[in-house]
Amino acid sequence: MKLKQWIAGCAGAAALLQASAVIAANVDISAHDVGGQVSGEKGPEAGVWVIAETKDLPTKYAKIVVTDDQGRYVIPDLPDASYKVWVRGYGLIDSAQVDARPGKLVDFTVKGVASAGAAAQLYPGMYWYSMLDIPAPSEFPGTGDKGNKMPDTMKSQAQWVDTVKNGCQSCHALGSRGIREVPKMFSEGHDSQEAWAMRTQAGQAMEYMAVVLGSMGPEKAYSLFAKWTDRIAEGELPFDKPERPKGVERNVVYTEWDWASPTHYQHDAISTDKRNPTVNANGLIYGSPEESTDLIPTLDPVKNVAATIKEPYLDPNTPSSADAPRGTSAYWGDEAIWDGHTSIHNVIMDEQGKVWFTARLRPPENPDYCKQGSSHPSAKVDPQATSVRQLSRFDPVTGKWDMINTCFSTHHLYFAHDANDTLWMSAGGPTLGGGIVGWLNVKQFRETHDGVAAQGWTPLVIDTNGNGKRDAYVGPKDPLDPAKDKRVMASFYGVMPSPVDDSIWGQSMDRGFSRIDQPGYIIRVVPGPDPANTALAEIYQPPEGTFGPRGIDIGFDGVVWTALSSGHLASFDRRLCKGPLNGPSTAEGKQCPEGWKVYRMPGPQFRGLDPKGSANHAYYLWVDRYNILGLGANVPIASANGGESLLALVNGEFVTLRVPYPLGFFTKNVDGRIDDASAGWKGRGIWTTSGTRANFHGEGGKDAYPKVFKVQMRPDPLAH
């Protein structure tokens, strides 16, 4: 202690202490750890992050922990390498980076930020985009170019918010620095509204952005976004601020690896079979690069090696994202950084360790066996003329690919718990899916390799006549007929087979994202013995005052979870329903309000909106059925990309797991794997990947790679 007091009295003490190896009291480390203590001007700094990063391994690697209430930290189990170690925390200037190897104790003395503006640069994006003005309820519905500059299809404030979150924020991190600051290329010589028009016509996502902006009214949207970035440029700061990690949030360990490339974004990743998380223990992680490339990234987390495999496709005329219209990018100029034919949206693993992808294998025109006049059982019920994405399977042992040419569009995919290992697939949205849900009988496919006979699909039909079986039905826009059932045009976006019965649950998008005049639902389908002809559906709207379901998962307790764009995590327990679940009263999905519970996500709300909601937003969610993370069995974990965090709901309270480096953490889903059940927390973890379409909008700019993230929870912040 005398040595520390003597150093502290010297000129330049803070700089010396940042690089010191003085042993911090009560910090025990092994030869594979780095540990120490973080102190500030007022004493120990609790709840700040300590980051160790190296480029010595085959791919860039980092590990991040949080300090305890005495400012102590232990970064455990580091591969042998030379690391840069530094401190980041709310209210602090990032410390200098110190060179260290495992087995070293490193103390830090840190300084507070000089201004509120400097502090706000570390805030999650939602604190910045919650400053966006939202049109008042009185401005709806839209009245067109001569009125409020919104189309008449934009009917409510809720629909507007849903569009901002599920149409804009779901692909781009709105509050990140790369979005809240307009590049000079667009701002110089143009007013702010023109600059926003130019930036949304840049790059290779311009066509999608144009569709979303068209649903909002481009002039209205440009005006509001321009005012938002103008206010930020003039110095306005977020009106709320985040808290430092506390309680069990300080037990977290984040491990990060670079994979893919700076020009290729990732949609999702998979590590194991959701039904058996010991499958593929210590094996490769696989990604899904959607429009950006046909190169599927892989990561070996044991050897720290990133590589790629190439997804094939059936038809050489399969379109590429490089062919789509594009404008000049502020980052990449006129370069077409995306060249993906296969549009791999999602990836899943089966119990054999084979990897399945929803991938585009051909142009949209369907084969004849899908169409009117086909003898295929499902085509007889509901023929399909086109599909935009199909299905493939990769065997890592043999390197062999199987191409399954589905008649229905695919998006997300999950295996059922039945004897046929049925793979159920969502379509993505009503404008893509035609109000159907599709499947593959995997047992049959393995035996026959006949992808035509093994596939099927069914329209979604509600038992509105209440007789308990599926009959002839009226169309989605037709009035009810007491002698018939009713079809609903609510294609699945999320899909999840129940682990407790034979039902299949889905979720359809709200008006904002789907751009059709119906609310979002969660949907229960019971396939019956001949699903194309016997499947019956139930639909359920979220509770009054909430809206915008996105993503779906189910625990072993049978409780269904979804994220709502109103800023909530919501559960639905069908066992609590008191009224009839079929019959004419169920056609709108307003039955069983008693089955719902909603939980407000942490964070600020847009000004003027219902404070019971939040500006926070989750792209998807995952239920930790096996307590892999260590916060409890059946805990839902939301991918809150607005909050740059994973949100775990534990006993009705949120645990916020924010990844602070690189800034702009943005993920779309997670899964969990058990590598060694006997190794405690070290033998398990949950996995995810960067999900934004524009990694270059975050920290690191054009040099930023997508990352794989592993999240683990220790029993305490110093466990090693």
Side-chain angles (χ1 to χ4, degrees), residues 424-435:
W424 288 86
M425 286 155 277
S426 68
T431 56
L432 296 177

Side-chain angles (χ1 to χ4, degrees), residues 40 88 112 142 150 160 219 223 268 321 403 433 438 557 569 592 710:
R88 170 170 287 180
M150 293 184 284
W160 177 276
E219 189 174 342
S223 172
D268 267 313
S321 54
M403 306 281 106
D557 53 7
L569 197 59
C592 196
K710 184 181 184 181

Side-chain angles (χ1 to χ4, degrees), residues 278 674-684:
T278 64
I674 300 173
D675 294 317
D676 183 351
S678 65
W681 69 271
K682 289 189 177 184
R684 59 188 63 215

